[in-house]
Amino acid sequence: MDENTTDSRTVALVTGANKGIGYEIAAGLGALGWRVGVGARDEGRRAAAVAALRAGGADAFGVPLDVTDDASAAAAVLAERFGRLDVLVNNAAVTGSVPQEPTVVDLAEVRTVLETNVLGVIRVTNALLPLLRRSASPRIVNMSSVVGSLTRQSDPAGETGPISAAYSPSKTLLNAVTVQYAKELRGTGVLVNLGCPGFCATDLNGHRGTRSPEQGARVAIRLATLPDDGPSGAFFDEDGPLPW
Ligand code: NAP
């Protein structure tokens, strides 16, 4: 550990923070005066995001992280610099390629999407949990989507995006896994919740979204700053609770 270990400022890590909503989450947390780790798999994109965030006044630092790979190196960076982690935002995700109708979907695509969107969250969370447990008010925010809501998906009148056997079910499973984390971590002080950013214009959807990435980041910032008596195992968008 270096001298920064005694720093009382909140330390956060956002996965997939080099662009899109993740970048705006990092910017928003940086604006709170927090130290923000930019978890990103590509060295050049990570460095560019860190530079841009710093230019905007955030105390950002890079954390090499591919969520489909071993996350122990990212944990080592945080352990060395701060000795703890206060907030983890699991934001990185992929949609997978089309077609995604279940009758024709390529199983390799389903595996890829689940590997990133679900197993990646478990992998990163478990690697960083020992550092989160050293925080006075640990928070985990998992970025989900309303397309993971089975209530909405099974409503014939519901507007839940295209038929998808990979991306939407990956968010349903992420929701289910997050509830299990909340159950296991109950009473430990670790609050773990799900945020849906709404339909935001990013590379994920060819910039067809109607909200800005900055708007999408708001729910994550709210869940990252929950008080100690805040909810855990809940699913929110900016307007409030979402149906499972
Ligand atoms: P985006 O612009 O495509 O950004 C995705 C981020 O995830 C990128 O930084 C990407 O890094 C990173 N990523 C992907 N695979 C990774 C891996 N294996 N390891 C590390 N990073 C990886 O997507 P977005 O729209 O900002 O989405 C952010 C979150 O919001 C996702 O969880 C998404 O499911 C959720 N969401 C988005 C919308 C929307 O309308 N945009 C709606 C509902 C939910 P690279 O640049 O290296 O690829």
Side-chain angles (χ1 to χ4, degrees):
M1 293 181 207
D2 67 16
E3 70 279 5
N4 292 325
T5 304
T6 55
D7 194 325
S8 60
R9 280 187 293 166
T10 303
V11 180
L13 173 68
V14 183
T15 71
N18 55 284
K19 67 178 182 181
I21 297 164
Y23 177 90
E24 294 297 340
I25 296 169
L29 298 180
L32 299 176
W34 293 10
R35 291 179 175 268
V36 187
V38 175
R41 55 184 166 177
D42 180 84
E43 191 178 345
R45 292 195 288 272
R46 184 172 63 246
V50 168
L53 287 163
R54 284 187 183 159
D59 189 351
F61 59 95
V63 179
L65 179 59
D66 182 330
V67 303
T68 64
D69 206 352
D70 183 9
S72 61
V77 169
L78 291 155
E80 172 71 22
R81 289 191 59 154
F82 308 107
R84 69 170 204 284
L85 177 65
D86 299 301
V87 173
L88 169 63
V89 182
N90 286 304
N91 166 80
V94 293
T95 53
S97 59
V98 292
Q100 283 201 9
E101 287 83 357
T103 56
V104 294
V105 73
D106 179 353
L107 286 184
E109 277 305 317
V110 180
R111 278 194 200 97
T112 299
V113 173
L114 292 175
E115 185 64 51
T116 303
N117 299 5
V118 184
L119 305 191
V121 173
I122 298 172
R123 179 180 294 111
V124 172
T125 300
N126 290 354
L128 295 172
L129 207 46
L131 290 170
L132 284 159
R133 288 184 192 273
R134 291 190 205 158
S135 169
S137 297
R139 306 285 177 262
I140 301 170
V141 182
N142 292 339
M143 290 306 277
S144 185
S145 170
V146 73
V147 303
S149 165
L150 290 179
T151 304
R152 293 278 174 88
Q153 287 288 355
S154 56
D155 176 358
E159 286 183 27
T160 46
I163 294 170
S164 150
Y167 180 73
S168 297
S170 79
K171 295 299 187 181
T172 311
L173 181 53
L174 175 63
N175 290 359
V177 169
T178 302
V179 170
Q180 299 303 314
Y181 269 108
K183 284 174 72 174
E184 185 183 350
L185 294 171
R186 195 176 294 153
T188 65
V190 183
L191 303 182
V192 50
N193 289 291
L194 294 148
C196 172
F199 189 38
C200 302
T202 68
D203 288 350
L204 193 91
N205 51 37
H207 293 262
R208 286 179 293 107
T210 50
R211 286 161 60 82
S212 69
E214 200 174 354
Q215 288 175 309
R218 285 183 197 153
V219 67
I221 293 163
R222 190 168 79 75
L223 294 173
T225 55
L226 285 175
D228 288 344
D229 63 353
S232 191
F235 183 24
F236 293 98
D237 69 7
E238 203 183 339
D239 297 327
L242 288 170
W244 296 105

